Amino acid sequence: MLKEVIATRYITPLREGGSLPGLVEADDFGTYVLKFTGAGQGRKTLVAEVVCGELARRLGFRVPRLVTIGLDPVLGLGEPDQQVQELLRGSGGTNLGMDFLSGALGFDPLAFEVGPEEAGRILWFDALINNVDRSWRNPNLLVRGGELWLIDHGATMIWHHNWPAAEKSAARPYDASDHALSRFAPDVARAAAELAPLVTEDLLAEVTAEVPDVWLADEPGFDTPDDLRRAYTRPLLARAATVHERVTGIEEGK
């Protein structure tokens, strides 16, 4: 399971994100970007962050370390912003944190060159998880030490918002025409050959086991958190084998 820490100080809201994440310090002396259970799509966003972030890590991508953060809403009493206060009051308990990457800069496709191989690997991964939030307008990529880091996977696996239609939704093509890396001739076929065999049932079971039970409880149509974990595994496992054949909107590298 993810490391558990307790928030000790709320520092400031990060207004770049639509869900208004916050910067906090924790009892392990770490500084984290905190994502709230009370924001936006709630706990499903956090589930997507864990499943996709931990899957990315195991496939060799650079992603910030994830932790669970215990939050006492009293930490926000001195926050003057009413919206932030409401988020804190509505998010007591287990939330998600990710390491704050000090010194990292937002990715600019006009200033940072990406090779076809790396572009292909990232684009293939986004097609696998159906990431609709890595466009040139909002790349959700950071550059640190000359390396790309993947962040913000809450807007992925859209099928988990409608489980009865999940199988049909997961079978749809992936339109990459707006993707932040589409201009770099991503070699998606090469990425698929390398990465698809790694996406196994055992690996996905390991990844979904990282999700706290409290974020999976009481989902309609599922008796236990483990039943829901298996539901997350099935579309990803099926999609991994052939999704590269259904990526549209790019010209792959040769």
Side-chain angles (χ1 to χ4, degrees):
M1 297 294 289
L2 300 179
K3 178 181 178 181
E4 299 178 9
V5 301
I6 304 296
T8 55
R9 184 165 78 97
Y10 182 81
I11 301 173
T12 187
L14 298 175
R15 300 187 183 278
E16 294 87 353
S19 59
L20 203 65
L23 196 63
V24 301
E25 289 179 351
D27 60 353
D28 66 345
F29 304 105
T31 303
Y32 297 96
V33 176
L34 174 66
K35 295 210 167 184
F36 297 97
T37 56
Q41 298 286 347
R43 64 186 189 179
K44 286 199 174 187
T45 297
L46 307 190
V47 173
E49 291 277 12
V50 172
V51 171
C52 298
E54 291 302 312
L55 178 57
R57 188 187 318 284
R58 286 161 174 81
L59 293 177
F61 296 97
R62 288 174 291 272
V63 293
R65 180 176 60 110
L66 301 179
V67 300
T68 58
I69 297 184
L71 176 67
D72 185 341
V74 74
L75 289 181
L77 291 180
E79 170 58 48
D81 188 306
Q82 184 66 28
Q83 184 181 6
V84 173
Q85 284 193 21
E86 291 174 359
L87 270 177
L88 288 161
R89 283 199 300 268
S91 302
T94 303
N95 294 266
L96 179 69
M98 52 194 66
D99 272 339
F100 176 65
L101 299 180
S102 178
L105 299 174
F107 170 74
D108 182 348
L110 299 179
F112 188 88
E113 187 71 22
V114 183
E117 181 178 353
E118 183 172 24
R121 294 177 82 253
I122 294 173
L123 201 150
W124 179 87
F125 177 69
D126 284 337
L128 171 67
I129 62 176
N130 197 38
N131 189 358
V132 298
D133 200 17
R134 200 165 340 261
S135 71
W136 60 268
R137 301 179 191 85
N138 183 35
N140 282 325
L141 293 166
L142 296 178
V143 180
R144 190 191 198 201
E147 297 178 325
L148 281 178
W149 289 71
L150 279 60
I151 61 169
D152 288 351
H153 296 104
T156 58
M157 303 188 299
I158 58 173
W159 49 80
H160 74 156
H161 295 288
N162 182 14
W163 283 113
E167 185 176 347
K168 181 178 180 180
S169 177
R172 291 173 180 165
Y174 182 73
D175 181 4
S177 58
D178 208 29
H179 195 278
L181 303 182
S182 62
R183 67 187 298 267
F184 295 104
D187 192 343
V188 177
R190 178 174 177 175
E194 173 194 350
L195 297 175
L198 303 180
V199 182
T200 64
E201 189 170 357
D202 286 345
L203 180 68
L204 293 170
E206 180 182 315
V207 166
T208 56
E210 299 278 8
V211 181
D213 282 358
V214 68
W215 297 346
L216 299 172
D218 303 320
E219 178 74 13
F222 299 92
D223 294 331
T224 69
D226 281 341
D227 290 338
L228 186 51
R229 288 185 174 96
R230 285 187 285 272
Y232 275 98
T233 293
R234 287 190 290 271
L236 292 170
L237 189 61
R239 198 168 172 87
T242 61
V243 72
H244 64 286
E245 300 171 355
R246 290 177 281 124
V247 175
T248 63
I250 61 168
E251 294 183 6
E252 295 182 9
K254 304 297 183 184

